Amino acid sequence: MQLTLSNLAVARGGVTVLQGLSFTLAPGKALILRGPNGSGKTTLLRTLAGLQPPASGSFDLPPDAVAYAAHADGLKSTLTVVENLTFWASIYGGPPIDHALHALDLVALSRRRAGELSAGQKRRLGLARLLVTGRPLWLLDEPTVSLDVASVALFARVVRQHLAAGGLAVIATHVDLGLPEAQVLDLEPHRARLIAQDGFDEAFA
């Protein structure tokens, strides 16, 4: 599959923040979203994930093709690492969890409850969920937050392997993940500019 956007506009709180987004992302490719805080990266990812409708325009994407990793890790604190991954694998009908445990260096933590993990360990477990979804498109919102240098390298390798297998990724990040062929989309030219009226100004753009 591929991801195609056609003159897409996205909104936050009823206010359009991005407009005129048109591009195609082919299998095996990654798209890096660039822009300052508040520029609409999260809003775009949430729209592509199906969590909110577009303001206008369209995108071509089967709803069961997406795995979304946002700021929250989506973990059940009372379940162990293995139990969390098993739960998500059952929800998505994805592959066995062994590969995910090894890929994100979670084997030694497999019997520990998620609530007992450090922030970095929780983030690795949250990202390991991607590997048990079986979904081709990964939407990643600042995925390396709380990760140390070694863990960033682990995750970058996971993304490269996903792309090599024909997967796709749209990533909002300021960290170099070593994806030399990734496309970069600067959101600044697509930001909607509002004329101040009725109490609104560009702080909402």
Side-chain angles (χ1 to χ4, degrees):
M1 59 153 281
Q2 65 181 20
L3 170 63
T4 300
L5 275 60
S6 300
N7 199 29
L8 185 71
V10 300
R12 180 174 61 241
V15 179
T16 298
V17 293
L18 293 171
Q19 59 190 4
L21 292 164
S22 297
F23 64 81
T24 296
L25 189 65
K29 299 297 182 181
L31 180 72
I32 307 298
L33 303 178
R34 297 290 194 213
N37 291 338
S39 61
K41 298 186 295 294
T42 294
T43 303
L44 174 56
L45 290 171
R46 285 178 54 83
T47 302
L48 295 179
L51 299 178
Q52 61 185 61
S56 63
S58 63
F59 59 92
D60 183 14
L61 186 63
D64 60 351
V66 174
Y68 177 45
H71 297 137
D73 293 316
L75 307 177
K76 294 184 178 294
S77 62
T78 59
L79 297 184
T80 66
V81 168
V82 165
E83 289 169 341
N84 268 280
L85 289 179
T86 300
F87 169 79
W88 285 109
S90 67
I91 291 293
Y92 285 98
I97 68 171
D98 289 350
H99 174 60
L101 288 170
H102 285 86
L104 274 303
D105 194 22
L106 294 168
V107 175
L109 302 171
S110 61
R111 301 300 173 186
R112 188 175 299 180
R113 291 184 179 182
E116 300 170 351
L117 301 177
S118 69
Q121 291 166 344
K122 288 178 181 177
R123 173 56 64 163
R124 280 191 280 131
L125 176 54
L127 294 173
R129 290 187 302 130
L130 296 166
L131 292 167
V132 302
T133 64
R135 301 293 175 89
L137 174 60
W138 292 357
L139 303 174
L140 310 175
D141 196 353
E142 300 293 348
T144 60
V145 170
S146 300
L147 295 185
D148 58 22
V149 173
S151 296
V152 170
L154 277 179
F155 178 64
R157 183 172 63 187
V158 165
V159 174
R160 289 194 296 270
Q161 290 172 346
H162 178 65
L163 299 177
L168 305 84
V170 180
I171 312 171
T173 182
H174 299 287
V175 175
D176 183 4
L177 294 177
L179 306 173
E181 297 183 1
Q183 303 174 44
V184 176
L185 177 61
D186 182 2
L187 296 181
E188 186 64 26
H190 298 280
R191 294 182 68 183
R193 304 298 179 182
L194 301 181
I195 298 174
Q197 62 180 35
D198 299 329
F200 289 93
D201 59 31
E202 273 197 26
F204 289 86

